[in-house]
Amino acid sequence: MTVFTLGQATAKALGKAGASMAAPTGSRGVAATTRLTAQSGAGRARMPHRTGALVLRDSIEAGTFEELFFAVPAKGETDKLLRIARRTLDAGRQLRREARAGDRVLTAAERRIVTLTAAAVRVYEEILTLARLNRGRVFPSYDHLSMTTSLGRATIARALHILEDIGFLVRQRRFKRVDADGPGPRYRQTSNAYRPTLPQRVLGFMPRWMRPAPLPDDVVQREIDRTGEVAAMVAGLSCHELATATVGGQLGKMLAKLGAGIDRLERESQNNPQPLPN
């Protein structure tokens, strides 16, 4: 099952209702809507949570999605990923030399590859080690990565951004509930969850023996058919069913309640349609 972030889940839950809402007319309305969207996005990114705790955008509550997010690596998979990362580092250095000499114009994928650093590969090695030892459950803090790699926190942050940008890992922000005085729940940011992945853009720079064997045509066709069936099933879900099926925990309950209200409004509008003018 696909894991959705808070923004994606909210957009999906409100998607059907958004189609029935009228947009502001005229250039003034469009400009006002644009300003409101930009201001609200900036506020969510920088302002603290309404309870006083700083929760970063696109965070998901810890304990509500990890079973679907983490994947147990196959035997030897982490060693293979590390070898590919080291080969990619060598390929990036060669691409950088050719670009500086004027012998090559880098593509968009190659410009990402040349950003890979030795520090990023070292951080990736530690994440792969944790994935192998903990059956894919990887959620180290920056302090832990800094201690095990002897790199500074700023270097760790840059390395994780590089690895995520190239496609070597998927990162999901998390928050958790904490006890505090006063009414209502309190939240606090906690360590991110990580899942190592194999970026397709680097395979062209690997020797043939390191590339995965292509899938048979019948397997590819079955996957295409399955993807179409899942998309058709999701398209037929109500807002309440979609929130329940894709998001767990308190967030899922909140979105399910919101989706139920949207479904009720849709049913009422279908039962009492506005008559067309003569």
Side-chain angles (χ1 to χ4, degrees), residues 60-218:
I60 301 180
E61 184 176 358
T64 63
F65 70 96
E66 285 84 351
E67 293 301 324
L68 301 176
F69 181 83
F70 293 130
V72 180
K75 183 178 181 181
E77 182 179 358
T78 55
D79 294 335
K80 180 179 179 181
L81 288 174
L82 181 57
R83 287 196 300 269
I84 290 176
R86 288 171 174 168
R87 288 278 186 141
T88 303
L89 178 62
D90 295 337
R93 290 168 175 168
Q94 179 64 29
L95 289 172
R96 192 181 300 110
R97 284 193 295 267
E98 294 177 0
R100 288 175 178 174
D103 299 332
R104 189 186 192 107
V105 177
L106 300 180
T107 64
E110 291 171 346
R111 286 195 295 271
R112 291 185 175 184
I113 289 175
V114 298
T115 63
L116 187 64
T117 62
V121 175
R122 178 65 188 92
V123 172
Y124 193 53
E125 180 181 8
E126 180 60 27
I127 289 177
L128 291 172
T129 300
L130 293 174
R132 184 179 69 253
L133 297 177
N134 300 318
R135 297 182 57 80
R137 302 184 65 86
V138 184
F139 46 93
S141 65
Y142 276 32
D143 290 336
H144 174 83
L145 292 175
S146 178
M147 180 183 64
T148 55
T149 62
S150 300
L151 299 172
R153 287 176 59 91
T155 303
I156 296 294
R158 287 194 298 269
L160 292 172
H161 176 75
I162 291 172
L163 293 170
E164 187 178 20
D165 186 57
I166 297 176
F168 277 112
L169 60 80
V170 178
R171 172 169 48 170
Q172 176 58 59
R173 291 170 173 167
R174 304 188 304 163
F175 68 89
K176 66 179 181 179
R177 295 168 179 264
V178 295
D179 296 331
D181 296 333
R186 295 295 187 270
Y187 306 97
R188 181 171 63 85
Q189 202 73 30
T190 187
S191 61
N192 300 326
Y194 302 95
R195 184 175 73 240
T197 57
L198 174 61
Q200 296 297 314
R201 60 171 53 94
V202 307
L203 295 181
F205 300 95
M206 299 297 106
R208 186 177 298 274
W209 63 271
M210 294 185 68
R211 304 176 191 176
L215 296 174
D217 293 340
D218 58 336

